[in-house]
Amino acid sequence: MPGAPGGMPVIAPMPAARPARIPSQRDTDEVAAAGTTVDHLTETYRAHYRSLLGLAALLLDDTASCEDVVQEAFIRVHSARKRVRDPEKTLAYLRQTVVNLSRSALRRRILGLKLLSKPMPDMASAEEGAYDLLERDSLIQAMKGLQRRQREVLVLRYFADMTEAQVAATLGISLGSVKAYGSRGIAALRVAMGAAA
């Protein structure tokens, strides 16, 4: 470095840095198109959950499976949201996922039915199966003959496996009423089943 008069070194100024580039609208659009946002997916869920549930219901026969399929579809689309570049295609992607998951559920059911259709060595005989079927049918008929509240209490208590307190809370009646309806219902069932036998 050349020295200045008086023996002091001269420090040259650094070259000016280039001005920072201001992002254009095109750059902003590219960032937005990097994938479906969580907010967009949330709005899609609010707007189209029921219609996707209806789509699954056309393919599957029970509500629980339909709900599982639609929830799984949203989870998968959420995981792959960066690959869905156009937010307008999110719904189409969800529909296709619901269809694919429904098909998979049906395949699993068919496979399960094929495996179940083979008789197991310890299965009941045909006569025992027929007897169980007749007994179940007579129980259903006897249940239909009960008063509405008795039937509700017995179904919740013994088929839904609820406690008496849970039954009372579900039906909006007192615990004593649950006990009374339950005991009267069982007595009526005994009479009806005894008459059927």
Side-chain angles (χ1 to χ4, degrees), residues 33-112:
T36 299
T37 64
V38 174
D39 289 339
H40 178 71
L41 197 56
T42 303
E43 288 303 316
T44 305
Y45 179 88
R46 288 186 185 128
H48 299 285
Y49 176 79
R50 289 196 182 277
S51 68
L52 291 168
L53 202 57
L55 174 62
L58 293 172
L59 301 169
L60 301 168
D61 58 354
D62 65 300
T63 306
S65 295
C66 296
E67 290 171 347
D68 289 346
V69 160
V70 173
Q71 291 296 331
E72 181 65 24
F74 273 99
I75 290 168
R76 289 190 182 192
V77 171
H78 179 269
S79 299
R81 66 186 183 280
K82 300 263 188 251
R83 285 184 269 151
V84 183
R85 300 231 178 251
D86 183 2
E88 298 300 318
K89 294 184 180 175
T90 303
L91 182 59
Y93 192 74
L94 278 164
R95 284 181 180 139
Q96 188 60 51
T97 306
V98 166
V99 169
N100 290 342
L101 290 171
S102 297
R103 287 178 183 156
S104 296
L106 288 173
R107 278 194 293 271
R108 283 191 302 274
R109 282 187 194 175
I110 291 168
L111 180 61

Side-chain angles (χ1 to χ4, degrees), residues 90-192:
T90 303
L91 182 59
Y93 192 74
L94 278 164
R95 284 181 180 139
Q96 188 60 51
T97 306
V98 166
V99 169
N100 290 342
L101 290 171
S102 297
R103 287 178 183 156
S104 296
L106 288 173
R107 278 194 293 271
R108 283 191 302 274
R109 282 187 194 175
I110 291 168
L111 180 61
L113 289 173
K114 284 180 181 176
L115 292 174
L116 285 176
S117 65
K118 296 177 183 174
M120 302 299 285
D122 59 348
M123 284 183 71
S125 67
E127 293 83 12
E128 289 175 13
Y131 180 75
D132 289 344
L133 186 61
L134 287 172
E135 193 172 71
R136 189 182 71 209
D137 287 344
S138 62
L139 176 62
I140 291 170
Q141 289 304 316
M143 289 290 288
K144 287 180 181 178
L146 295 177
Q147 294 176 1
R148 179 182 58 89
R149 192 61 87 180
Q150 291 173 352
R151 185 171 54 249
E152 290 171 348
V153 167
L154 291 180
V155 167
L156 292 176
R157 182 76 177 94
Y158 298 104
F159 293 100
D161 202 26
M162 290 184 174
T163 64
E164 289 176 338
Q166 290 171 326
V167 173
T170 302
L171 296 177
I173 59 177
S174 69
L175 190 59
S177 296
V178 170
K179 291 179 180 181
Y181 284 124
S183 64
R184 287 186 205 130
I186 289 173
L189 275 180
R190 283 190 181 128
V191 169

